Amino acid sequence: GSHTPLEDTAPRIVEHPTDVLASKGEPATLSCKAEGRPAPVVEWYKDGERVETDREDPRSHRTLLPGGSLFFLRILHGRRGKPDEGVYVCVARNYLGEATSRNASLEVAGE
């Protein structure tokens, strides 16, 4: 039986991140799920800057989950720095193109 080869497709975001109100020191997740063929590579940007995860820096408190979501082991937030607060966007890429999710803001509660 002959079957048609599956055509490569540009990425599309099937699950967009939503705004998160996180607690300092607690875990949080920004969801993102993308489809495409070949499977797209997902990157996160916060306020326009690329977010480093433990793939680049093993000491990072941010992990890129297999599906593309961004997981924070614990939200870092102090008087001097608010490294996790901001507007996030998820970008999925393969050789055919890229797709950008909607913006999602992460706010830290209770300061």
Side-chain angles (χ1 to χ4, degrees):
S2 65
H3 62 267
T4 16
L6 289 160
E7 282 184 35
D8 285 357
T9 55
R12 66 189 184 97
I13 308 278
V14 290
E15 188 184 330
H16 290 265
T18 52
D19 294 351
V20 171
L21 184 60
S23 304
K24 182 171 125 181
E26 295 290 311
T29 305
L30 284 165
S31 308
C32 180
K33 202 161 162 206
E35 284 177 354
R37 178 178 301 273
V41 173
V42 170
E43 290 185 326
W44 283 86
Y45 290 85
K46 169 185 173 284
D47 301 329
E49 305 256 310
R50 197 161 145 337
V51 172
E52 295 231 323
T53 60
D54 57 4
R55 292 190 175 181
E56 292 89 19
D57 180 358
R59 293 164 316 190
S60 173
H61 66 295
R62 292 180 289 237
T63 301
L64 188 62
L65 299 178
S69 295
L70 185 64
F71 176 68
F72 299 82
L73 296 172
R74 63 192 176 284
I75 293 295
L76 301 181
H77 200 72
R79 262 185 206 108
R80 296 215 182 92
K82 304 182 161 120
D84 294 327
E85 206 165 60
V87 176
Y88 288 80
V89 64
C90 145
V91 180
R93 290 194 181 90
N94 67 15
Y95 79 97
L96 284 168
E98 63 177 61
T100 303
S101 74
R102 293 195 285 272
N103 287 353
S105 65
L106 186 145
E107 287 183 54
V108 180
E111 280 277 321

